Amino acid sequence: MKSKAMVLTAFNKPLELQEFTIPALEEGQVLVKLKAAGVCGSDVHMWKGEDPRTPLPIILGHEGVGIVVEIKGEKRTVDGLPLKEGDFILWNRGITCNQCFACKVLREPSLCQHRKVYGINMSCSTPPYLNGCYSEYIVLNRNTDIFKLPQDVDPAVVVSASCSGATIAHAFDMIQQAVGDTVVVQGPGPLGIYAVAFAKKLGASKVVVIGGSSSRLNICKEMGAITLDRHSTTVEQRREFIMDMTGGRGADVVVEAVGSQGVVEEGIKLLRSGGTYLSTGFAQPAGLEQVDFYYDVVRKNIRIQGVWVSDTRHTWQALNLVLENPEAFSKMITHRFKLTEANEALNAMATRRALKAVLEM
């Protein structure tokens, strides 16, 4: 059997369509026929060479769903159910060693120094070669955590649960949001949309989203958020708005979902004393932030929490959130492409024409 895949062989160059021989499976491996692959902002950064650790050549794509074609030996889902051929599945993007200090002592697998991620740090020059989701087939490692999906769900709608959804689930898992809290979200992209959904699910009374795209803000509004267009408001006007709606206190939680320089300085000033700032959007360096630690951090006793990737429990939480209301999350999918149109998909994400682009196979 053969599998076509779109391969990144050089930074800032078009992906190349290549054909791979599907290898014989080793014990515990699972061969999957991909149905959809999410095109993530991280893929764009890798394509542009902004992460020099990217191993070339590589099949990009860490968000995938598909149909089980073959299993070598016995494999079970995270529910403990036996996996079988024909099952429709989603999988955790990261594979951790379960042996290091982070895994064993801290019990923080997302911090595993040996963590492998499909389409991120697994080259297609390394067996089993089909290590990314911009492909007709992928071979899943024996230690991959797998989730069974309903057969009737749109593959494109659930695919982002394993990345932006899981990252936001991780963020809210690290804090204790209270019923009635006011949550401010900086950025109406996929991370921001998931932040709105999780904040509402956990009992936020008000969720405010700050962004510059009217179409993206409208999706957030449909999910129950109040929106502020940063093009028609000033930083001070936005701060006054938040203070007025909270009786002068400020927001309980602010979620950074942008990853751009300067956003942290504004976001911290929107917090009440004792509030929490969750930073989820920085997938690559963006420069230094200017923060007055005495006035804005220490005197206000705030918590600044960085959020790095996610673990299996977070993928589980995000997936179940999407499955509760797939119609709402379907509005996030603005562009659908064929596998061979992966370069157009990356360009659509890079130019922000697409909120979320998906390759369908």
Side-chain angles (χ1 to χ4, degrees), residues 167 171 254-257 259 264 277-282 304-308:
T167 299
V254 175
V255 182
E256 175 275 310
V264 176
Y277 190 79
L278 290 171
S279 182
T280 70
F282 289 94
I304 300 175
Q305 179 64 62
V307 183
W308 182 246

Side-chain angles (χ1 to χ4, degrees), residues 3-290:
S3 175
K4 291 183 173 63
M6 297 296 289
V7 181
L8 176 65
T9 59
F11 299 127
N12 279 310
K13 299 293 184 181
L15 306 188
E16 299 176 6
L17 181 64
Q18 296 186 10
E19 189 172 73
F20 294 79
T21 298
I22 297 176
L25 298 185
E26 297 180 1
E27 188 68 24
Q29 291 182 336
V30 180
L31 177 65
V32 178
K33 173 71 175 71
L34 281 147
K35 300 294 290 183
V39 182
C40 180
S42 297
D43 298 343
V44 175
H45 295 305
M46 295 171 66
W47 174 46
K48 291 182 176 181
E50 293 171 351
D51 186 348
R53 298 170 299 176
T54 302
L56 299 180
I58 187 170
I59 301 170
L60 294 178
H62 51 278
E63 304 174 359
V65 298
I67 304 293
V68 174
V69 175
E70 183 185 350
I71 308 165
K72 181 71 170 181
E74 183 180 321
K75 180 75 177 178
R76 292 182 178 270
T77 69
V78 296
D79 302 279
L81 301 174
L83 194 67
K84 61 183 184 300
E85 293 179 11
D87 281 348
F88 185 28
I89 63 169
L90 175 142
W91 49 92
N92 191 37
R93 56 184 162 154
I95 308 160
T96 52
C97 72
N98 199 33
Q99 296 178 345
C100 69
F101 183 79
C103 290
K104 286 293 190 182
V105 180
L106 299 180
R107 295 189 178 180
E108 289 279 0
S110 59
L111 299 179
C112 175
Q113 295 300 302
H114 309 290
R115 184 173 179 264
K116 293 294 184 181
V117 187
Y118 296 106
I120 295 283
N121 58 11
M122 299 170 69
S123 171
C124 61
S125 63
T126 304
Y129 312 110
L130 297 172
N131 296 322
C133 297
Y134 289 14
S135 177
E136 291 179 321
Y137 292 87
I138 188 170
V139 177
L140 299 182
N141 180 286
R142 64 181 301 167
N143 295 320
T144 303
D145 290 325
I146 293 175
F147 310 83
K148 190 173 178 178
L149 297 172
Q151 291 286 350
D152 60 349
V153 70
D154 180 353
V157 173
V158 295
V159 75
S160 63
S162 63
C163 182
S164 49
T167 299
I168 294 298
H170 188 190
F172 281 95
D173 199 31
M174 298 173 89
I175 66 172
Q176 293 183 330
Q177 182 192 309
V179 173
D181 276 357
T182 295
V183 177
V184 174
V185 179
Q186 296 176 285
L191 286 168
I193 290 171
Y194 272 104
V196 172
F198 269 104
K200 297 293 287 186
K201 179 71 175 177
L202 294 171
S205 61
K206 301 181 186 70
V207 180
V208 181
V209 180
I210 300 170
S213 165
S214 58
S215 60
R216 298 182 180 199
L217 288 172
N218 284 337
I219 294 176
C220 295
K221 190 179 296 183
E222 290 176 16
M223 299 188 79
I226 301 164
T227 59
L228 292 175
D229 190 329
R230 63 180 175 84
H231 295 307
S232 59
T233 59
T234 65
V235 171
E236 186 54 40
Q237 286 172 333
R238 294 193 289 273
R239 185 174 184 276
E240 288 178 4
F241 182 88
I242 301 301
M243 292 302 164
D244 286 346
M245 76 164 5
T246 58
R249 294 186 303 275
D252 301 284
V253 179
V254 175
V255 182
E256 175 275 310
V258 182
S260 298
Q261 189 177 27
V263 69
V264 176
E265 183 178 357
E266 175 180 353
I268 284 179
K269 293 180 184 296
L270 301 177
L271 280 170
R272 65 162 170 81
S273 294
T276 299
Y277 190 79
L278 290 171
S279 182
T280 70
F282 289 94
Q284 71 291 322
L288 301 180
E289 294 287 335
Q290 290 189 330

